[in-house]
């Protein structure tokens, strides 16, 4: 029983969808399988009847006249069959009608049910409802009756009925699952636009009734309604696995190939399979052939191969239904698309007079043909005829054709624009409420919309506006329209190309190039895209790239030589290169092309793919005249200009010739003649605005008369008051620095067009220019309340940030981000911009964690943007990827500042996924690898950078630093020498070189580089950068006084000052570079100098350091932290217990807030040592010893290892100390303190020779200036019996420090005595 119900439901569903042969085949199979079930015979008869096999159907129906359940529907069907005959018998129809009326009175519920079903399938819903309601009443709420009533209501097209249909399906499903009821409930949810709910129900059908293929078909369509193309195509392929000829699946795959992929070859294959399957499954169904072809015709961008297939389908339909006027009209439309206008007219005339309901479409087709043929009067008569006989709703196509007629009859631009706007609005009103699907795509009709765009573009100047000038207002309409089409049909390259053209004419050349590149990536032979790309390169001054685009165009399409635009661009490029003779020859070749002369109206070259229009043709004349003039052939130029005047007289392009003539007068220096020509152009003529702008330019640039310049724009507003002319006047006032007047004009424009956010933005910016910031803020806030313009919100937030009103700015951005979750591209893009700006604000007010969260949210939102933009705006992908990379880089910077280096690496790598060639990101990543001691990874990044930019300084510096670490010192120095020799005055590089040479133990090589810099510039000694570098050298070589002197010279400089002051403070706090807190040498130092004078000097140094601290103005969080630590080191330097404890508290707080902060941990350990709490100090230092070394904290790591080594030496743990000292020297071979500690250990172990070697290096790298090291070295020479060396060192120490205690008595005298015989 369940199987029979499913079979009947399947037949009814196919009948409803008008798949009549499907119904016939299933009914025939069921007749064999379920014998003596007359309902299958009825549906079989119905199926063949709907395929016009009338006699056979009547014969089958006659066998059912006596069936109790089917007799009523059979008689109604016989009436319908008789009426379908070519010559119906009125008597038979009368008899059958009487029989229906008689039988209806006593019909049982089942008979009424089948009669209602038949009437519903015929589309007679009101009559079907009457039968079904009576059946439900007689049968005590029959389940089948309620399900049928639900279907009748939901498909009635009347909202009052359809809204109630859901309850009938619910009641029908109470007794259990019923496939027909479930499909009906899904249909109801679809009607209510609840596509997710419908999909849930269909999923039940697919699971519970796996053999019911319409369930899977409906699922496929619902997935498309939810705009999920990927799952839609998956469902289509799954359908084809179950039914290789499934018509809906083949149609869907063909649409996907065409709309989303732009793969014409694949679409043609699927379409061919669809036609074959139609021949197999529905060979006698003209409506299905016609219905399945329409979307492809309108979506294919007039592709010949696709139209060839759709034409086959409609011709096949017409052969099955020869008199059908819909089919004749469609064939006429397809002929127009192929440019076969005469054949199109034949088809339209063949369809004429058969039905009144197709009259608008039919007349539109005829008018279209007449306009193409230039029969303007005939077209106007057709419009009058249509107006006289028809008062129905407006047609978008007819409004468009009225606009075309108005343009051809040179009506005012405003009238044409208004008609085009109405056409677009009317067209899109028909799409309201439709889900994405075959019907939506067909009614969207991109081909029609592209024609509208071309008409808009014909009203706009062919070249981009001058810098600072607004684009023509029609271009915004074009951009909005094309964005909508491309979002739905991104595979249609014609739309992407037109958007590129719109962007080019709007002056947005970057976006135009991005769109064109997408076109050419998809179709390298796209000639028009190559030509427009060449025009953009020419505009940007890239003549070589322009020529390359033209060559590529020619290589892909040799026929492009027959297009004047190719020659025009080529000549313009030649002219730009100064090749005037070649340019003239090229333009003369263009003049000889068919159609260039007498091109007052659009014509078509032999090459069907390229159109000749009057704008291109007049440009050839004008360029030739200008080239001849510049080549000194003034007489020839005048002749060409006269030819142009004669050629284009009475056409829309006549005024362009006049304007060009004025340009020639300007070249001759005759400004008065130029102005006289331009004054003759009246407001009702095209190009009036361009003429007035040209006049204004003459007044401003040639006569320097600002008053007359502004008067030209004022006259424009008086003669043609519109938002656009007001905008031009406002911009003119801004150009002559009269923002107050500009604001007044902008406000008047805004009153005319209150929804124009760009105008509101201009007013805000003009207020900012007048420094009226408070009024600007108030204006933005008021505009936001009234207009809800999102980008004004962003402008306001930026202004508040500039004015440092961070709290208000943050609130505005938070408010902007509070809304329901959306998946709309523009909203997602806005949210991302808000979040990035919010992160900037939060960083400025030290909310670093919140800033990180904002950036992470921005990253998530941008990921959604990228996913959608690839489908909706593929040309914008590069720009959006760049933004994604910038967000990731900002997150990485945050983690770097917090010492989260591993996470920073992850985000820099992610940034490079989006933007592989971003040099800044690669440098930051290389720098991080260097910090993490990952030398190979750093080298790899540097090599990639240097491959693209062989002189990149940062990459060369890092590469050299890695080589120094790998003990490849010679190679490192060679890299540095190359950089220094190229730019000796680059003190940033020099300072890095000095630090590297210190770490490689080659400080003795520094003076030659300093000399090189000094010789290169006579002012080097006065340069703060040079003095900073010299200060570094003296500091590293143990000469603190000289270091201070040079740092002091750099102290007030903006670039070098802050680092110089930091270094000066460190020198004042520890001039001898001792281990602060260390105890190993404390006793010895006490013996050799702990005078009151020394203590006073130390306190004076601390006070000086405190003064210098006040000069520091750090700009980064890490800078503030460094300042805070230095302030508390000053407290340590006082050596007073209270101060030390106070400083310790601060260090502990920093260490608590900043995890693994090496400077803070070292400072804590130093404080503990000064308080004689060495175990606590050791714990902190051991923690540091376990951490990875990094460049930013290199000095702090070194000091912490030395202090820990000091503690181990005091504890007698010499092996542990040696390990730490070895680590110090591996990172800094000039660390004389490490050698001193090593010498001390050797000395304690009575290994005087080894001790002497270590003290030698300490003495060398300390530049032989530290008397304590000298004393120790001399002592160990004495013990090692190297008496002469000991005497040598003693002399050097005493020469610098004559009063140095004990060295004379303890060493010098003993060494001399040992030498005496």
């Amino acid at each position: 029983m369940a199987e029979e119900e499913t079979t009947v439901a399947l037949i009814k569903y196919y009948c409803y969808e008008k798949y009549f042969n499907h119904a016939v085949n299933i009914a025939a199979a069921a007749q064999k399988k379920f014998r003596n079930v007359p309902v299958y015979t009825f549906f079989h008869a119905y199926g063949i009847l709907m395929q016009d096999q009338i006699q056979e159907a009547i014969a089958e129906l006659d066998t059912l006249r006596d069936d109790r359940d089917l007799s009523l529907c059979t008689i109604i069907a016989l009436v319908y069959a008789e009426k379908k005959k070519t010559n119906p018998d009125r008597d038979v129809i009368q008899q059958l009608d009487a029989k229906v009326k008689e039988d209806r009175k006593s019909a049982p519920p089942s008979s009424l049910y089948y009669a209602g079903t038949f009437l519903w399938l015929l589309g007679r819903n009101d009559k079907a409802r009457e039968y079904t309601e009576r059946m439900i009443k007689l049968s005590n709420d029959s389940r089948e009756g309620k399900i049928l009533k639900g279907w009748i209501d939901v498909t009635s097209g009347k909202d009052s009925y359809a809204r109630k249909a859901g309850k009938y399906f619910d009641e029908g499903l109470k007794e259990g699952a019923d496939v027909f009821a479930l499909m009906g409930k899904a249909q109801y949810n679809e009607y209510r636009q609840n596509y997710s709910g419908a999909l849930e129900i269909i999923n039940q059908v697919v699971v519970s009734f796996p053999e019911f293929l319409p369930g899977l078909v409906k699922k496929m369509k619902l997935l498309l309604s939810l705009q999920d193309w990927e799952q839609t195509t998956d469902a289509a392929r799954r359908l084809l696995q179950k039914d290789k000829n499934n018509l809906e699946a083949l149609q869907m795959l063909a649409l996907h190939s065409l709309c989303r992929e732009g793969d014409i070859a694949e679409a043609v294959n699927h379409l061919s399979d669809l036609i074959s399957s139609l021949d197999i499954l529905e060979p006698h169904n003209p409506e299905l052939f016609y219905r399945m072809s329409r979307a492809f015709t309108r979506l294919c961008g007039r592709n010949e191969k696709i139209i060839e297939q759709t034409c086959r389908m409609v011709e096949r339909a017409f052969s099955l239904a020869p008199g059908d006027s819909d089919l004749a009209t469609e064939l006429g439309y397809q002929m127009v698309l192929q440019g076969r206008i005469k054949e199109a007219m034949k088809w339209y005339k063949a369809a004429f007079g058969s039905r009144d309901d197709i009259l608008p479409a039919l007349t539109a087709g005829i008018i279209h043909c007449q306009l193409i043929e230039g029969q303007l009067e005939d077209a106007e008569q057709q419009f009058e005829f249509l107006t006289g006989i028809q008062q129905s709703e407006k047609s978008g196509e007819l409004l468009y054709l009225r606009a075309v007629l108005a343009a051809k009859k040179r009506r005012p631009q405003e009238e044409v624009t208004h008609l085009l706007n109405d056409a677009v609005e009317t067209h899109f009103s028909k799409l309201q409420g439709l889900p994405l699907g075959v019907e939506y795509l067909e009614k969207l009709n991109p081909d029609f919309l592209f024609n509208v765009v071309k008409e808009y573009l014909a009203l706009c100047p062919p070249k981009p506006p001058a810098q600072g000038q607004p684009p023509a207002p029609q271009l915004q309409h074009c951009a909005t329209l094309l964005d909508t089409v491309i979002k739905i049909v991104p595979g249609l390259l014609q739309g992407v190309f037109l958007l590129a053209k719109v962007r080019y004419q709007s002056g947005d050349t970057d976006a135009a190039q991005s769109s064109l590149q997408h076109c050419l990536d998809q179709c390298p032979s796209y000639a028009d895209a190559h030509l427009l790309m060449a025009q953009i390169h020419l505009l940007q001054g890239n003549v070589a790239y322009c020529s390359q685009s033209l060559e590529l165009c020619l290589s892909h399409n040799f026929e492009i030589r027959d297009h004047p635009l190719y020659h025009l661009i080529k000549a313009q490029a030649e002219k730009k290169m100064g090749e005037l003779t070649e340019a003239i020859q090229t333009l003369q070749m263009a003049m000889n092309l068919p159609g260039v002369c007498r091109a007052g109206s659009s014509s078509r070259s032999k090459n069907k793919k390229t159109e000749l229009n009057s704008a291109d043709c007049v440009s050839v004349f004008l360029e030739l005249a200008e080239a001849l003039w510049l080549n000194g052939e003034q007489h020839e130029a005048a002749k060409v200009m006269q030819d142009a005047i004669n050629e284009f007289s009475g056409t829309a392009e006549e005024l362009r010739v006049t304007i060009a003539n004025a340009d020639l007068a300007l070249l001759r220096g005759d400004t008065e003649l130029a102005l006289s020509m331009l004054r003759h152009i009246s407001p009702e003529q095209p190009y009036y605005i361009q003429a007035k702008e040209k006049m204004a330019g003459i007044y401003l640039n040639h006569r320097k008369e600002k008053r007359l310049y502004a008067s030209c724009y004022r006259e424009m507003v008086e003669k043609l008051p519109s938002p656009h002319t007001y905008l031009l006047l406002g911009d003119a006032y801004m150009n002559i620095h009269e923002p107050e007047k500009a604001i007044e004009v902008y406000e008047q424009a805004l009153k005319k067009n209150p929804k124009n956010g760009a105008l509101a933005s201009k007013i805000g910016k003009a207020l900012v220019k007048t420094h009226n910031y408070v009024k600007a803020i108030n204006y933005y806030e008021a505009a936001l309340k009234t207009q809800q313009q999102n980008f004004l919100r962003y402008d306001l937030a930026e202004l508040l940030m500039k004015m440092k009103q961070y709290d208000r700015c943050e609130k505005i951005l938070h408010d902007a981000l509070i809304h329901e979750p959306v998946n709309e591209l523009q909203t997602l893009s806005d949210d991302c911009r808000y979040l990035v700006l919010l992160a900037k604000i939060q960083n400025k007010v030290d909310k670093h964690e919140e800033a990180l969260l904002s950036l992470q949210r921005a990253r998530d939102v941008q990921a959604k943007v990228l996913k959608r933009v690839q489908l909706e705006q593929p040309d914008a992908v590069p720009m959006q990827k760049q933004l994604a990379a910038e967000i990731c880089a900002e997150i990485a910077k945050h983690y770097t500042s917090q010492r989260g280096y591993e996470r920073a690496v992850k985000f820099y790598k992610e940034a490079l996924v989006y933007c592989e060639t971003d040099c800044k990101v690669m440098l930051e990543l290389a720098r991080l690898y260097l910090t993490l001691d990952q030398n190979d990874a750093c080298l790899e990044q540097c090599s990639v950078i240097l491959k693209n930019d062989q002189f990149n300084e940062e990459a060369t510096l890092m590469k050299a630093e890695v080589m120094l670490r790998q003990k490849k010192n010679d190679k490192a120095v060679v890299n540095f020498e190359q950089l220094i020799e190229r730019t000796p005055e680059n003190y940033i590089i020099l300072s890095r070189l000095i630090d590297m040479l210190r770490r490689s133990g080659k400080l003795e090589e520094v003076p030659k580089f300093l000399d090189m810099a000094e010789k290169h510039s006579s002012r080097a000694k006065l340069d703060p950068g040079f003095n900073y570098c010299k200060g570094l050298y003296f500091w590293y070589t143990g000469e603190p006084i000289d270091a201070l002197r040079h740092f002091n010279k750099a102290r007030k400089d903006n670039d070098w000052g802050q680092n110089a002051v930091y270094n000066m403070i460190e020198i004042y706090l520890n001039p001898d570079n001792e281990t602060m807190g260390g105890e190993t040498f404390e006793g010895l130092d006490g013996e050799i100098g702990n005078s009151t004078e020394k203590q006073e000097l130390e306190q004076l140094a601390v006070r000086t350091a405190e003064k210098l601290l006040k000069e520091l103005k750090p700009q980064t969080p890490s800078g503030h932290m460094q300042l805070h630590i230095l302030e508390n080191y000053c407290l340590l330097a006082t050596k007073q217990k209270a101060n030390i404890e106070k400083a310790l508290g601060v260090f502990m707080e920093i260490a608590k807030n900043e995890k693994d902060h090496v400077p803070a941990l070292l400072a804590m350990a130093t404080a503990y040592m000064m308080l004689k709490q060495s175990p606590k100090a050791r714990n902190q230092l051991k923690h540091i010893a376990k951490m990875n070394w990094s460049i930013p904290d290199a000095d702090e790591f070194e000091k912490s290892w030395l202090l820990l080594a000091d503690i181990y030496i005091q504890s007698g743990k010499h092996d542990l100390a040696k390990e730490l000292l070895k680590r110090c020297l591996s990172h800094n071979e000039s660390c004389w303190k490490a050698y001193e500690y090593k010498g001390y250990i050797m000395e304690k172990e009575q290994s005087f020779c080894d001790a002497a070697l270590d003290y030698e290096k300490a003495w060398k790298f300390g530049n032989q200036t530290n008397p304590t090291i000298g004393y120790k070295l001399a002592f160990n020479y004495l013990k090692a019996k190297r008496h002469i060396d000991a005497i040598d060192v003693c002399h050097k120490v005493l020469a610098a420090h004559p009063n140095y205690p004990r060295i004379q008595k303890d060493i010098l005298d003993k060494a001399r005595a040992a030498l005496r015989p």
Side-chain angles (χ1 to χ4, degrees), residues 686-943:
Y687 295 102
Y688 168 74
I689 289 175
Q690 287 89 325
K692 278 290 168 192
E693 286 185 284
K694 181 75 71 177
M695 285 178 71
I698 294 170
Y699 283 128
L700 185 65
N701 302 318
H702 293 269
R703 293 195 170 185
K704 312 298 180 189
E705 295 181 22
K706 291 183 179 180
R707 185 178 56 80
L708 290 172
Y709 165 78
S711 73
C712 288
Y713 289 100
R714 278 199 301 274
E715 189 180 331
M716 261 193 256
V717 169
E718 288 166 14
K719 303 289 186 187
L720 294 175
S722 71
H724 180 59
T725 53
Y726 273 101
L727 192 61
L728 288 172
L729 177 56
D731 289 349
Y733 279 130
M734 288 297 286
N735 285 341
I736 57 175
H737 307 293
E738 294 187 17
E740 293 84 0
K741 289 183 179 178
I743 291 165
E744 288 177 28
V745 174
Y746 288 144
E747 284 176 342
Q748 285 176 295
L750 198 59
K751 284 175 187 173
K752 290 181 171 291
N753 191 2
K755 292 184 180 179
N756 190 328
L759 268 172
S761 180
K762 279 181 179 283
I763 295 171
K765 284 170 184 171
L767 285 165
V768 170
K769 199 160 188 175
T770 61
H771 305 292
N772 201 338
Y773 299 118
V774 174
K775 191 174 177 184
I777 289 169
N778 293 338
Y779 171 77
Y780 276 131
E781 288 176 340
L784 277 169
K785 285 175 187 172
T786 55
Q787 296 164 7
Q788 301 299 310
Q789 297 286 352
N790 278 333
F791 60 89
L792 289 185
R793 198 185 303 275
Y794 188 85
D795 286 354
L796 173 58
E798 273 196 319
L799 177 57
L800 288 168
M801 183 176 75
K802 285 174 187 171
M803 293 180 67
K804 300 186 177 178
Q805 295 188 21
Y806 299 131
D807 290 342
R808 285 179 72 185
C809 180
E810 198 171 347
K811 183 180 184 306
I812 281 166
L813 292 169
H814 278 303
D815 290 347
L817 290 162
I818 296 170
H819 55 71
E820 291 296 316
V822 291
N823 205 24
E824 201 266 323
L825 180 58
Q826 187 57 53
T827 308
L828 290 171
S829 296
D830 289 342
D831 283 357
C832 190
R833 290 173 73 217
Y834 294 146
L835 286 163
V836 171
L837 187 59
L838 180 60
K840 282 183 188 174
I841 302 296
Q842 289 165 334
N843 270 325
K844 285 181 183 290
V845 294
D846 295 329
K847 295 181 179 178
H848 303 299
E849 291 306 315
E850 289 181 31
L852 177 61
L853 287 172
S854 296
L855 285 169
Q856 286 172 336
R857 278 182 67 195
R859 170 178 168 259
D860 295 341
V861 171
Q862 188 61 15
K864 291 179 184 176
V865 169
L866 277 169
K867 191 173 180 182
R868 290 193 72 84
V869 85
Q870 285 170 354
L871 297 173
E872 297 173 20
Q873 295 177 15
D875 55 291
V877 168
M879 182 179 70
Q880 294 296 344
K881 280 189 172 181
Q882 182 64 43
L883 179 57
E886 286 168 12
I887 292 167
C888 290
E890 281 301 316
I891 295 172
K893 282 178 191 172
H894 178 91
Y895 280 122
T896 303
S897 69
Q898 301 294 316
R899 292 178 164 73
Y901 299 126
E902 297 295 341
R903 284 190 171 188
V905 166
K906 174 193 165 189
F907 283 102
Y908 277 131
K909 282 183 173 178
E910 189 175 325
L912 287 174
V913 169
Y914 293 121
C915 203
E916 295 174 11
T917 56
D918 193 315
C919 187
K920 287 181 183 176
V921 173
M922 285 193 276
L923 280 170
E924 291 297 337
L925 182 56
R927 204 170 283 121
L928 262 183
Y929 282 139
L930 196 61
T931 301
L932 292 165
D933 219 13
Q934 295 181 16
N935 296 331
D936 291 341
C938 177
L939 274 178
E940 187 180 337
Q941 282 299 319
C942 291
S943 298

Side-chain angles (χ1 to χ4, degrees), residues 1123-1182:
L1123 173 58
H1124 205 26
I1125 289 170
L1126 273 178
E1127 286 170 345
N1128 286 279
Y1129 262 114
C1130 287
L1131 292 176
L1132 292 186
T1134 63
K1135 299 183 181 176
Q1136 295 172 12
K1137 186 178 180 185
N1139 285 343
I1140 295 169
E1141 287 175 345
K1142 183 181 176 183
L1144 178 59
V1146 172
F1147 297 143
M1148 290 174 77
E1149 186 64 27
I1150 294 170
K1152 181 181 175 184
N1153 294 330
E1154 301 288 329
K1155 189 184 176 187
D1156 293 342
H1157 193 276
V1158 178
L1161 294 171
L1162 170 62
M1164 279 174 66
T1166 305
Y1168 280 132
M1169 288 299 290
M1170 294 176 83
L1171 292 169
K1172 306 301 179 186
Q1173 298 178 22
S1174 58
K1176 289 184 178 179
R1178 185 176 64 241
N1179 289 340
Q1180 301 301 329
L1181 295 167
K1182 285 171 77 174

Side-chain angles (χ1 to χ4, degrees), residues 41-55:
T41 305
F42 174 77
F43 279 118
H44 187 274
Y46 172 75
I48 61 174
L49 173 62
M50 298 310 288
Q51 294 178 81
D52 288 335
Q53 298 175 36
I54 299 170
Q55 290 304 332

Side-chain angles (χ1 to χ4, degrees), residues 346-378:
K346 285 179 186 175
W347 281 111
Y348 285 134
K349 286 174 181 174
F352 215 91
S354 56
R355 281 195 353 244
D356 288 345
D357 61 319
I358 66 158
L359 198 57
L362 192 54
T363 311
I366 292 169
I367 292 170
H368 197 176
C369 291
Q370 289 168 337
L371 289 173
I372 292 169
E373 295 286 295
Q375 300 166 11
L376 305 188
E377 298 306 319
D378 292 345

Side-chain angles (χ1 to χ4, degrees), residues 14 53 58 120 379 454 612 730 754 803 820 945 1125 1146 1243:
Y14 280 136
Q53 298 175 36
I58 289 173
W120 167 63
K454 288 172 187 174
L612 293 179
M803 293 180 67
E820 291 296 316
I945 297 164
I1125 289 170
V1146 172
E1243 189 179 343

